[in-house]
Amino acid sequence: MTKDQYLRMVEQTGEEIDWEKCPPELSDFPQIVLDSMNIYNSLGNRMYPEIGYMGKDFTNFSFLKKLYGIQEHEEEYVMDLLLFLDSQAIEASQKRLKAEYDKIKKK
């Protein structure tokens, strides 16, 4: 649900806006977070049959840092964000793969 959808829903129901429940939009984040997300989406995926998604390929990370103008003092923060996003994607991939294997075993 986007912020606009939430606000329309609240308006229609006549409830008061609970800003804690209102989902953030990209414009709500600082530029360093947006740059980190763009870098993450620009990195290649490492995928293998029978294993699934193994994480991002960081081969082009140095090039992308320069491209997005990431300063040396921002590198650790950007890397933390990238590793967090990657860990979430790996976990989701593992859960999907396990569900598929379980479905096959039931047959």
Side-chain angles (χ1 to χ4, degrees):
M1 175 182 305
T2 66
K3 184 184 280 185
D4 290 336
Q5 290 170 328
Y6 174 76
L7 294 175
R8 269 187 259 122
M9 181 185 73
V10 169
E11 184 180 287
Q12 290 173 355
T13 60
E15 297 175 17
E16 288 212 22
I17 297 173
D18 183 355
W19 292 107
E20 294 296 319
K21 292 182 181 177
C22 187
E25 292 182 341
L26 286 177
S27 61
D28 294 332
F29 293 99
Q31 189 61 44
I32 188 72
V33 173
L34 300 176
D35 290 342
S36 297
M37 291 171 60
N38 287 330
I39 289 172
Y40 179 80
N41 289 322
S42 297
L43 294 170
N45 294 330
R46 294 182 300 137
M47 305 235 350
Y48 301 100
E50 303 294 322
I51 299 174
Y53 178 73
M54 295 297 297
K56 289 293 187 178
D57 178 0
F58 285 85
T59 303
N60 295 325
F61 182 59
S62 294
F63 169 75
L64 292 168
K65 281 191 309 187
K66 289 178 189 170
L67 181 68
Y68 283 94
I70 303 300
Q71 303 296 316
E72 188 175 336
H73 67 277
E74 300 171 320
E75 287 180 14
E76 185 177 350
Y77 181 70
V78 169
M79 185 57 87
D80 285 345
L81 286 172
L82 295 176
L83 293 175
F84 173 77
L85 292 170
D86 209 26
S87 69
Q88 298 297 307
I90 291 168
E91 185 177 323
S93 172
Q94 290 172 346
K95 286 180 182 177
R96 282 191 306 271
L97 194 58
K98 183 179 182 327
E100 289 296 320
Y101 277 130
D102 290 347
K103 189 189 303 183
I104 291 170
K105 283 182 184 178
K106 288 181 182 180
K107 289 183 180 182

